[in-house]
Each structure stands twice: as structure tokens, then as C-alpha cells.
């Protein structure tokens, strides 16, 4: 054993002393001037396969590292120029400077040039992980929530709450813009977004000061598709999914672009019904409650996006974007609840309650933007945004009580709840960047306002009429204003070190008014539970990257972040979920803060390892509590703290027609809180991990196959719910048709039917267990056809427009980053 350790140590020391071999050179234009921002590719001389890509700096200089000795050549390419190649050369143990490469202007307009690229399903970088949905076979037929469920490090609990790397408080962005929704509202919105609409999902765990400070666990940015090709073009897609029930989706994408203007539009439609089953047991006081529910979700959604960009000149662009989602969702829950008297183990009564909820969830967003940019120099972005959510809920809840025989009715109570919610969002933000002291300085600010109005009315329903129950009705108005300023600076030092540091200041003003009636002795009186919050916080961030040897890069990072309570979690009103379960907000709920430290290593551009430690203060947790002995309610409270250590490792591999990608995310969490001693304490130590792998097979003649798998170990949801393990294996097949213009994909999800969740909790005298599953397996079919121009039409003057589009996509084009 000692010999093995010594051998292993020796190998590590030898590997640490091996230095990548540097290849340097210059790329010039026909006049002999160095050409900056030219793509330089290091190729293997044997088969011209790409080893590494770099971009030339000013005066056309470049340096590229070869991982080992061998035969290589270099190519240089630039829009509007013909690709040029060096002569093959040998590397045998030291660096080399190759002769200058001169590239010539292309003849004509490059009408025959077509660029085709295939991204990996998952890309792992130092600051984020990217799930490329657009090119993935097995993503067909999923909605956004299911895609997140299958994303590395992301956890979705039984109530559809999102957590990341063991931490709650995830901020979800759509096209770079933060969503104001949370909880069930956010989950239902994500269910209305189909994979056909989504280009990629970015999981950003260490956002810089340029991003909003909200989101303790980080940011999940869902990027919707947008066509970037010149000319007039478009695509259509049709999809079908068969689970327990059939589901249909389709979409149209149109785009026209030239050197002066870009007009684009998309439309998507989705119609389907999903079924989930859930079984629960709750032991409270002297009664055992058991229930098996079937929950069906009907979805009829129209999504759209349209906009225009006008390129005033090579430096200035103005644009406007309008997007929206119109969704009609119906949820039906059915299943009897059985009441058993624990001392005698005797069934005493049965509650039959079939709950239906007809919902409308409409969203509209408008953005006006201006961008001024000089390549490699000054850049200014100004965005003004307005958005609204219009949510309507009409819930019918009948409750019929029977004796243990299940046929003799003893009583009934029927409720009808109407709950309209309006959310208005306003924001204006500015970002400015320029070169400064050999680095890049960024400053900016944002003013954001959110107004929320929720009017909850509960009616008692009788045979021929219904009467408003003013004691059980409530109106909650919530306003939040966040003003932010930030500064960020990064610089590459000569000693192979890159520094980045920033500071963000956010000033928050919030006000909530909850009005209704409450019982005092024997009288009902009106109340007004008004609360105000005003506070200012500083959020520093920093990163130090050691990149002298590009084959072994290290990054050390730190950030401080905040997660503010959702407006629903602040409303003190008690909402009745059923006759024996309530939910109420907590006006004393404080923001939770996270300090995160991470170390990341990227080895040979493939093996990525990241170690992270986070300390969360005043963490949110959904606590089940008791009322009237046998009735329970759910509320959110601040646990004392949470310590989390997480480790993620990912590795891609490719050999000829086969490619493989694997990533694992492990975390250790320690939750501590005391709400009164005894059974009201929380002290949990949890180790959990997820493992994802994807195998891709290029089968030839336009055929491609995929085999992917996900495993999720036992974990903890919302601070108190202990869960069991679950996982899934998906398979898919793709065929290109019509000379590459058409694609047909077929897939089967959860082949072995193992994506089933289960768990338990024991707090404040309530012992509960639960288990459930969605529709498994599912069979999916999708067809996509592209029409119109699909070529890169040569024009060097269009380079600025392409850079503009790339930058806009990265920035989110709206109220997303501040």
C-alpha cells in the first residue's frame, strides 16, 4: 500500500512539473498589419482535429498551448477573409514561434459558406454551468420545470420549490430578466414554457457585482431561442408526448436581418394534461391522517416574442422587444382522507374532497434598449422595462364527511375561493464599461419597482347561493423598491494572474398592507397589518484566476448574496388548503444572507473541479406546526443558520463517433434552529449528491443516439423534510432529413420508472411521510424544419452586428442584471 502511495505521489509531482508547450505567432491582413480578434485554431496535423481555440490580441499576436509533443498546424479565420493555414510543424519539448500567417479577403459574398456547430449538452465553466437544451434529443417534450429537475445540482421538491447545491433562495431569470414569481406561481409559469422555446439554461453559482444580489444559491437563467442568421429565414416545430395522457406542442420562428435592421418573432403553443399521484400519512396528537391524491394539471399555453433592432451605425444600436405568455391552467385534486383514532387503531371518519382550480396566468413584458460600443473599448447599455403578471384563480372546494362505512354522510362544507393577483414591474438600468489601467472597469445602476395586489375572497357555498365570508377573506398589497449601484474591475496581470473584484450596494424599501377581519373575544373587527422594511446592504465579490499555465487553471472566488422573502410568505392571513391544513405568512420573516467561498480547477480544458463553502444566516424553512390539536398549518421561518460544503466534478470525453459527459455534485449541509425546545428543535446533518451522465453516438447517415441518466441521493427539502433517493434513465434517437433542413427526434424518458420521490418529517408533534410520482415513462416525438436563408453571408461590415447580438444575448437585453 505504501508503494502505491509513493508511486501515486511521484506521478502527481511529475505531472505538476510538466509545462504546456507554447506556440506563438502573428496573423496579418493583406497590407501586412496585425489583425486583432482573429480566430486561431491549433490543429493536429494527422486529421486536422481541433486541439485549442484562441483569439488574437491587438497587432494580431497570439499564444496557444499544446498539451503534449507531436505534429500540429495552425489555422487563422476572420469574417470576410479566406481561412489560411501554417505549414505542419513538430513540437518536441520546447516552445516554438511559427512564421507569420497572412490571410486574404474572400472573393464574392461567401454565398456557399455554411457554418455548422454542435455544442455539448452541458458546458462547465469556472463561474457557471450551461445546459444546451436546443441540440439535445432527450430534452424533447419537457417543460422548463422538468428540465431544471434534470439539471446538475438542481433540486425540485414535492412542492416544486427550487434549490441549488443544497441551498434554497435560487433567483430564476428569463432571458436575463429576474422573475418576480416564487413558489407555486413560479412553478406553474415554468410548466408553461416548453423545451422547444428554450435555447439553454445557465446555472450561475458565482455572479459578479454586475448581477442582482438576490439569490443565495445563485442564478438560473433560462435563455429563450432567437434566430441570429442573416437574410429571411425561419423554422417550424411540432411535438407529441404520450404519458398517461397525450400532449401536443408546436411553434413558428421568423427572422429577417440585414446590415441595418433585424426583425424577429416567435410563437409557441402547448396543450396537454399531466397527472401526479401523491400518498401521505400524518400522525398528529391522537389521530392518523392518510390520503392518496391524484392531481391533474391541464395546460393550454400561448407564448410569443417579437422585436426589432436597428443598427444606426457600426457603434450604435436601438431596439425594442415585446414578449408574453398566455396560459389557462386547470388543476384538479381528488382523493379521500381517512381519520384513524390512534389509541384504538379504529377508522372513525372519511373526508371526500375534490378540489378544482381554474386559473389564468398571463404575462407581458416590454423592453426598450440602446447600446453604444467600440470594439475593445467603451461600451454603454441603457434598458427600460415594464412587465405585468395577471393571475386569476377560481377554486372550488367541496368537503363531504362520512362515517367509517364511507356511505353515511354526516356533514358537508363547500367553499369557493376567488383570488385575483396583479403584479406590475418597472425598471431602468444603465451599464457602462471602459478600459482602465490595463484592465476593464464597469459601473452601473438600476432602479426597480414591484407592485403586487392580491385580493382573496372566500365564499360559503349553499344549494342555491354563495355568501362572502368576510372573516376568511383578505386583501394584501405589497410594494418593493430596490435601488442599486455597482462597480466591477478585472485585469489580466503579467504573471499569469487575472483579478476581478466588485462591490454592489442595494437599498430596499418595502411596504405590505394586509386587511380583513379578525375575531376578538366574540366580535369580528377589521384589522390592518401594515409593515415596513427599509435597509441598505453591501455585496462584495472577488475572483483570482491563475492562468499562467492554461492547461491547469485555478480560480478562487468569494461573494455575498441576499434572498428577500416572497410577498406571499409575508402575508399573515391564514389560507385554508383543506379542512385540516392551513398556510399563513410571517411578517417577521427576515432576508437570508449567504457568504460563499469557492476554489475551481480546470485541467486541460476538460476536467473541472469546484469546491465551495457557504454560510447561510437566517435561512428560510417551511415549518409544519399545529393548531387545535389535530389541525396543522405551514409557515416559513428563519432557521438560525446553515453551513454547506459542496464539491462538483465534471469531465467530457470524445473518441471518433462516441462522446461522453459526466458530472457529479455533492454537498454536506448542517441545519440548526431552536423554536422553543423539545420537539421544536432542528439539528440536521445531511450529505447528498447527484450524478448525471450523457452518452452520444454518431451513427452515420444523419443518425444520432443519446443515452442519459440522473441519480439523486437522499437529501433534505426546505430544512425539515428528509427524502429518499430517485433517478431516471432516458434514451433518444435523431435523424436529419431534407439535406439537413429537417430533424426528427424520438425519445423515451424514465425507462425504468424510478423518478419517484418520498420523504418524511418530524417537527412540533407532527410526524409525516409522503411519496409521489409524475407520469412515467413518457414517449416523445418532435419534428423541426428550417426554411429560408441559412448561410453566413460574407460581409465584414456585419461583424459589428454579430458582436452586438452576441453581447445582447449575454446581457439578457433588459432588466436582468442589476
Amino acid at each position: 500500500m505504501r508503494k502505491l502511495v509513493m508511486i501515486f505521489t511521484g506521478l502527481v509531482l511529475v505531472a505538476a512539473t510538466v509545462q504546456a508547450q507554447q506556440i506563438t505567432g502573428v496573423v496579418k491582413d493583406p497590407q501586412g498589419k496585425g489583425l486583432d480578434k482573429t480566430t486561431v485554431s491549433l490543429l493536429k496535423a494527422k486529421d486536422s482535429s481541433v486541439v485549442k481555440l484562441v483569439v488574437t490580441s491587438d497587432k494580431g499576436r497570439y499564444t496557444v498551448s499544446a498539451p503534449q509533443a507531436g505534429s500540429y498546424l495552425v489555422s487563422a479565420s476572420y469574417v470576410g477573409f479566406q481561412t489560411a493555414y501554417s505549414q505542419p510543424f513538430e513540437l518536441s519539448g520546447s516552445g516554438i514561434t511559427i512564421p507569420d500567417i497572412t490571410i486574404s479577403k474572400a472573393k464574392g459574398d461567401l454565398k456557399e459558406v455554411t457554418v455548422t456547430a454542435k455544442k455539448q449538452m452541458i458546458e462547465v465553466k469556472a463561474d457557471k454551468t450551461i445546459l444546451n437544451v436546443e441540440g439535445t434529443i432527450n430534452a424533447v417534450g419537457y417543460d422548463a420545470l422538468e428540465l431544471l429537475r434534470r439539471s446538475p445540482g438542481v433540486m425540485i421538491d414535492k412542492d416544486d420549490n427550487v434549490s441549488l447545491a443544497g441551498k434554497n433562495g435560487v433567483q430564476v431569470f428569463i432571458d436575463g430578466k429576474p422573475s418576480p414569481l416564487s413558489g407555486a406561481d413560479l412553478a406553474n409559469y415554468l410548466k408553461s414554457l416548453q423545451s422547444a422555446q428554450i435555447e439553454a439554461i445557465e446555472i450561475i453559482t458565482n455572479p459578479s457585482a454586475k448581477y442582482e444580489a438576490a439569490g443565495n444559491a445563485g442564478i438560473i437563467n433560462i435563455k429563450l431561442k432567437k434566430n441570429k442568421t442573416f437574410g429571411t429565414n425561419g423554422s417550424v416545430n411540432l411535438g407529441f408526448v404520450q404519458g398517461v395522457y397525450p400532449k401536443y406542442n408546436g411553434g413558428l420562428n421568423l427572422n429577417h436581418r440585414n446590415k441595418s435592421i433585424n426583425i424577429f418573432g416567435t410563437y409557441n403553443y402547448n396543450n396537454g394534461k399531466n397527472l401526479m399521484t401523491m400518498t401521505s400519512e400524518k400522525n398528529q396528537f391522537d389521530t392518523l391522517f392518510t390520503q392518496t391524491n391524484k392531481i391533474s394539471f391541464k395546460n393550454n399555453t400561448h407564448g410569443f416574442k417579437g422585436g426589432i433592432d436597428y443598427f444606426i451605425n457600426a457603434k450604435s444600436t436601438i431596439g425594442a422587444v415585446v414578449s408574453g405568455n398566455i396560459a389557462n391552467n386547470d388543476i384538479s385534486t381528488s382523493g379521500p382522507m381517512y381519520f384513524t383514532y390512534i389509541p384504538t387503531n379504529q377508522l372513525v371518519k372519511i373526508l371526500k374532497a375534490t378540489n378544482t382550480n381554474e386559473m389564468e396566468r398571463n404575462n407581458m413584458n416590454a423592453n426598450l434598449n440602446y447600446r453604444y460600443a467600440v470594439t475593445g473599448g467603451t461600451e454603454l447599455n441603457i434598458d427600460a422595462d415594464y412587465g405585468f403578471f395577471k393571475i386569476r384563480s377560481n377554486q372550488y372546494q367541496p368537503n363531504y364527511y362520512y362515517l367509517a362505512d364511507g356511505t353515511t354522510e354526516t356533514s358537508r362544507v363547500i367553499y369557493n375561493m376567488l383570488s385575483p393577483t396583479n403584479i406590475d414591474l418597472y425598471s431602468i438600468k444603465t451599464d457602462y464599461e471602459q478600459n482602465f489601467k490595463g484592465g476593464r472597469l464597469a459601473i452601473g445602476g438600476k432602479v426597480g419597482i414591484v407592485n403586487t395586489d392580491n385580493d382573496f375572497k372566500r365564499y360559503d357555498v349553499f344549494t342555491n347561493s354563495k355568501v362572502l365570508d368576510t372573516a376568511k377573506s383578505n386583501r394584501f398589497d405589497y410594494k418593493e423598491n430596490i435601488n442599486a449601484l455597482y462597480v466591477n474591475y478585472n485585469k489580466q496581470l503579467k504573471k499569469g494572474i487575472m483579478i476581478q473584484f466588485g462591490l454592489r450596494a442595494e437599498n430596499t424599501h418595502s411596504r405590505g398592507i394586509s386587511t380583513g377581519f379578525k375575531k376578538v373575544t366574540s366580535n369580528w373587527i377589521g384589522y390592518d397589518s401594515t409593515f415596513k422594511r427599509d435597509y441598505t446592504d453591501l455585496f462584495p465579490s472577488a475572483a483570482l484566476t491563475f492562468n499562467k499555465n492554461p492547461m491547469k487553471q485555478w480560480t478562487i472566488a468569494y461573494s455575498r448574496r441576499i434572498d428577500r422573502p416572497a410577498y406571499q410568505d409575508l402575508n399573515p392571513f391564514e389560507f385554508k388548503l383543506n379542512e385540516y391544513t392551513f398556510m399563513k405568512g410571517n411578517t417577521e420573516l427576515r432576508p437570508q444572507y449567504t457568504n460563499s467561498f469557492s476554489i475551481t480547477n480546470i485541467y486541460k480544458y476538460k476536467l473541472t473541479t469546484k469546491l465551495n463553502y457557504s454560510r447561510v444566516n437566517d435561512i428560510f424553512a417551511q415549518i409544519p406546526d399545529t393548531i387545535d390539536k389535530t389541525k396543522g398549518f405551514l409557515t416559513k421561518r428563519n432557521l438560525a443558520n446553515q453551513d454547506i460544503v459542496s464539491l462538483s466534478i465534471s469531465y467530457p470525453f470524445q473518441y471518433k463517433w462516441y462522446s461522453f459527459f459526466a458530472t457529479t455534485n455533492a454537498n454536506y449541509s448542517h441545519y440548526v434552529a431552536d423554536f422553543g425546545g423539545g420537539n421544536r428543535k432542528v439539528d440536521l446533518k445531511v450529505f447528498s449528491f447527484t450524478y448525471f451522465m450523457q452518452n452520444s453516438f454518431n451513427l452515420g447517415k444523419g443518425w444520432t443516439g443519446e443515452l442519459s441518466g440522473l441519480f439523486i441521493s437522499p437529501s433534505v427539502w426546505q430544512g425539515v423534510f428528509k427524502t429518499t433517493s430517485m433517478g431516471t434513465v432516458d434514451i433518444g434517437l435523431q435523424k436529419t432529413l431534407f439535406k439537413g433542413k429537417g430533424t426528427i427526434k424520438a425519445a423515451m424518458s424514465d425507462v425504468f420508472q424510478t423518478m419517484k420521490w418520498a420523504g418524511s418529517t418530524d417537527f412540533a408533534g407532527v410526524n409525516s411521510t409522503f411519496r409521489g410520482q409524475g407520469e412515467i415513462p413518457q414517449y416523445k416525438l418532435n419534428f423541426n424544419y428550417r426554411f429560408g436563408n441559412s448561410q453566413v453571408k460574407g460581409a465584414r461590415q456585419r461583424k459589428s452586428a454579430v458582436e452586438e447580438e452576441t453581447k445582447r444575448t449575454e446581457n439578457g437585453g433588459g432588466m436582468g442584471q442589476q
Side-chain angles (χ1 to χ4, degrees), residues 179-477:
S179 171
L181 303 178
S182 62
D185 289 332
L186 176 61
N188 288 325
Y189 175 71
L190 294 176
K191 289 176 183 177
S192 70
L193 291 177
Q194 297 301 300
S195 62
Q197 301 172 251
I198 299 171
E199 175 184 334
I201 295 175
E202 297 178 332
I203 302 171
I204 307 171
T205 51
N206 284 308
S208 70
K210 191 173 183 179
Y211 289 87
E212 292 191 12
N216 277 350
I219 293 170
I220 295 177
N221 181 33
I222 300 175
K223 296 174 63 177
L224 303 182
K225 292 180 180 178
K226 183 177 179 182
N227 196 320
K228 307 177 186 71
T229 309
F230 284 98
T232 301
N233 49 76
S235 65
V236 293
N237 68 83
L238 297 171
F240 173 76
V241 179
Q242 180 64 56
V244 176
Y245 301 104
K247 307 155 190 48
Y248 312 89
N249 62 79
L252 174 67
N253 184 338
L254 294 173
N255 185 79
H256 175 77
R257 181 169 191 158
N258 58 36
K259 64 181 181 181
S260 299
I261 197 168
N262 179 40
I263 303 173
F264 56 91
T266 62
Y267 167 76
N268 289 275
Y269 174 73
N270 177 60
N271 183 286
K273 182 178 180 180
N274 294 275
L275 180 68
M276 183 177 73
T277 58
M278 184 170 66
T279 299
S280 63
E281 290 187 357
K282 183 172 67 172
N283 186 326
Q284 185 172 338
F285 191 56
D286 59 1
T287 304
L288 174 66
F289 304 84
T290 58
Q291 186 173 24
T292 297
N293 281 332
K294 289 187 175 181
I295 305 169
S296 67
F297 181 86
K298 292 182 180 179
N299 183 29
N300 186 53
T301 305
H302 303 266
F304 58 90
K305 182 177 182 179
I308 183 171
D309 295 318
Y310 176 65
F311 308 111
I312 301 171
N313 52 45
K315 299 178 181 179
S316 300
T317 306
I318 57 173
V321 182
V322 176
S323 61
N325 219 49
I326 300 173
N328 293 307
N329 308 135
D330 294 337
I331 299 178
S332 177
T333 305
S334 61
M337 178 184 288
Y338 298 92
F339 300 74
T340 301
Y341 185 59
I342 294 176
T344 61
N345 196 31
Q346 181 180 359
L347 179 66
V348 292
K349 63 180 175 180
I350 301 172
L351 168 62
K352 295 182 180 180
T354 300
N355 186 301
T356 59
N357 192 356
E358 298 176 355
M359 296 182 294
E360 294 181 9
R361 297 178 181 272
N362 301 329
N363 163 238
M364 184 82 72
N365 302 287
N367 165 259
L368 294 174
N369 57 79
Y370 170 77
R371 180 171 185 256
Y372 173 85
V374 177
T375 302
T378 301
E379 181 176 328
L380 173 67
N381 289 278
I382 301 174
D383 287 89
D385 290 87
Y386 169 71
F388 72 82
F389 287 82
K390 182 180 178 182
I391 303 172
R392 299 293 181 265
S393 174
N394 184 355
Q395 186 175 359
Y396 182 74
Q397 183 179 301
N399 301 277
Y400 301 96
Y401 291 88
Y402 294 85
L403 295 178
D405 58 16
T407 58
T408 305
E409 182 180 336
T410 59
S411 63
R412 66 173 62 182
V413 287
I414 302 174
Y415 307 116
N416 178 211
M417 283 81 77
L418 301 179
S419 182
T421 299
N422 295 314
I423 304 174
D424 292 284
L425 305 97
Y426 310 84
S427 74
I428 184 167
K429 73 182 185 76
T430 301
D431 302 291
Y432 175 78
E433 293 185 18
Q434 71 169 45
N435 298 325
F436 180 74
K437 299 290 185 180
R440 193 74 172 165
L441 175 67
I443 58 175
K446 177 184 176 182
V447 176
I449 298 173
V450 179
N451 294 332
T452 301
D453 183 17
N454 179 268
D455 189 9
F456 180 85
K457 292 184 173 67
R458 198 186 88 171
Y459 295 85
D460 295 322
V461 179
F462 303 100
T463 304
N464 298 316
S465 63
K466 63 180 183 180
V467 177
L468 177 65
D469 187 343
T470 55
K472 299 299 181 180
S473 299
N474 167 264
R475 185 155 194 162
F476 184 60
D477 182 74

Side-chain angles (χ1 to χ4, degrees), residues 1-10:
M1 183 65 183
R2 292 180 61 187
K3 289 183 177 180
L4 288 174
V5 173
M6 292 175 66
I7 292 172
F8 177 77
T9 304

